[in-house]
Amino acid sequence: MSTEALVRDLRAELDDGGLRGSFLVRDLRSGAEVGIDPDREYPIASLVKVPLAAATLERIRRGELDGATQLDVPPGRVTTPGPIGVTRFRHPARIAVEDLLYLSTCLSDGQAADVLFGLTPPAEVAALLTGWGLSGIALRHELRDLVDTPAERFDAAEADLAHALAIGAGTAGQGHRLAQLDVSRANTASARAVLELLQALWTPSKIDPTVAAGVRELMANNVIRHRLTPDFASDAAKWSSKTGTLLNMRHEAGVVEHADGGVFGVVALTESRVPAAVQPEADVLMSRVARALRDHLRGA
């Protein structure tokens, strides 16, 4: 099947399943790539924790931060379904910087990430990305803003109403009544911008090799593995990734390293028009589309 026909068919599959998205798969050795709307911007939710991890490790490398320093971490006290880690703690904790990195990246703990953002604010993380020659990832706010949405204000039985608002309150220009979903106010990126970061972490770049290796290790230990992992991890393939979820947005970005030496970056940023909080079929669909793109590229 030609690339054009494949993309057309996959776009139709996404539409039939109530999804649209920005997908990009790249062979990190040759640079060959295939995607669906790879330059469309989306709010990236917890994917922002990858550049945050890189920035924190860079500052540790420079001696500006000590990874062993223990910090007083206030409890998140979030009770709605979804968040984990310190974000759900009821009492204060004392946690080292390096352990906060683990919680933030591997468990997607928003409260841990915000403590790290307190050390390296979004603007400083953005400046480090610019210094590494990376553009297209807009960092505007901390993670606490992601737990202040209609989903936290409605009862659990009314989660569909929060998703209906998220779906219906957007504009044609990707503006939104909810700041977290407005591309001019949220942390945003396209699949291409996120993949450029992955490329810089997995291949020689301006990012220090020890920093890149540290981020790769964190992503390899990601414990959230229900989305793209089933289609990319196996005994003959190592999958390292980070997910991002916010209302009707479901994302994942990662790298699959095959036993035969093949290395592919994979980014899937999606939004659903189905007003439901639990949509396992959406995860299956986005994973199948990403896998089809990788299979096509691998077989080219």
Side-chain angles (χ1 to χ4, degrees):
M1 180 183 293
S2 70
T3 299
E4 293 77 10
L6 174 68
V7 169
R8 182 180 63 249
D9 288 352
L10 293 178
R11 197 190 298 272
E13 277 192 53
L14 289 167
D15 187 60
D16 288 345
L19 291 181
R20 72 171 175 178
S22 175
F23 289 78
L24 188 61
V25 178
R26 179 184 297 166
D27 184 331
L28 297 187
R29 299 174 306 171
S30 70
E33 62 182 37
V34 60
I36 300 172
D37 296 330
D39 297 304
R40 182 180 176 85
E41 282 189 287
Y42 282 93
I44 55 173
S46 288
L47 292 186
V48 75
K49 294 167 185 171
V50 177
L52 172 62
T56 304
L57 288 170
E58 171 63 15
R59 295 194 63 209
I60 291 173
R61 184 190 71 83
R62 294 178 181 180
E64 298 171 1
L65 297 175
D66 183 345
T69 298
Q70 295 193 2
L71 302 175
D72 293 322
V73 181
R77 296 195 176 98
V78 172
T79 58
T80 51
I84 60 177
V86 182
T87 307
R88 301 190 76 86
F89 276 24
R90 297 184 179 186
H91 307 286
R94 192 165 176 81
I95 305 174
V97 171
E98 287 182 334
D99 293 330
L100 288 168
L101 266 175
Y102 168 75
L103 292 172
S104 171
T105 314
C106 303
L107 275 68
S108 203
D109 186 338
Q111 186 76 353
D114 276 343
V115 175
L116 295 176
F117 268 133
L119 300 174
T120 310
E124 190 171 342
V125 177
L128 284 167
L129 289 175
T130 299
W132 289 327
L134 299 168
S135 61
I137 300 177
L139 302 176
R140 300 185 175 100
H141 61 78
E142 298 179 359
L143 274 297
R144 61 176 54 90
D145 295 323
L146 300 186
V147 293
D148 183 22
T149 73
E152 286 71 45
R153 300 171 195 172
F154 293 139
D155 291 336
E158 299 175 316
D160 61 310
L161 298 180
H163 284 256
L165 177 59
I167 294 164
T171 70
Q174 291 187 277
H176 207 285
R177 290 180 61 187
L178 301 179
Q180 301 94 330
L181 299 180
D182 187 325
V183 295
S184 68
R185 294 182 286 172
N187 295 326
T188 61
S190 65
R192 186 178 304 282
V194 176
L195 211 153
E196 290 296 336
L197 174 58
L198 296 180
Q199 177 101 44
L201 291 168
W202 258 263
T203 63
S205 71
K206 292 183 179 180
I207 299 178
D208 184 86
T210 61
V211 171
V215 179
R216 293 197 302 270
E217 181 180 2
L218 288 167
M219 293 178 68
N221 289 319
N222 177 23
V223 302
I224 302 175
R225 304 179 70 80
H226 67 283
R227 192 159 286 164
L228 300 191
T229 302
D231 273 299
F232 287 97
S234 72
D235 286 348
K238 177 182 178 181
W239 173 245
S240 306
S241 71
K242 180 73 193 75
T243 58
T245 308
L246 176 64
L247 292 172
N248 65 323
M249 302 281 173
R250 289 170 176 78
H251 311 322
E252 187 158 357
V255 172
V256 57
E257 300 171 79
H258 296 281
D260 65 4
V263 184
F264 296 83
V266 181
V267 182
L269 313 179
T270 73
E271 60 179 322
S272 172
R273 62 174 185 272
V274 178
V278 180
Q279 296 184 53
E281 65 279 4
D283 292 319
V284 171
L285 176 56
M286 65 185 286
S287 184
R288 186 168 68 245
V289 169
R291 171 67 181 267
L293 292 170
R294 194 289 313 270
D295 288 350
H296 179 78
L297 191 60
R298 193 180 185 194

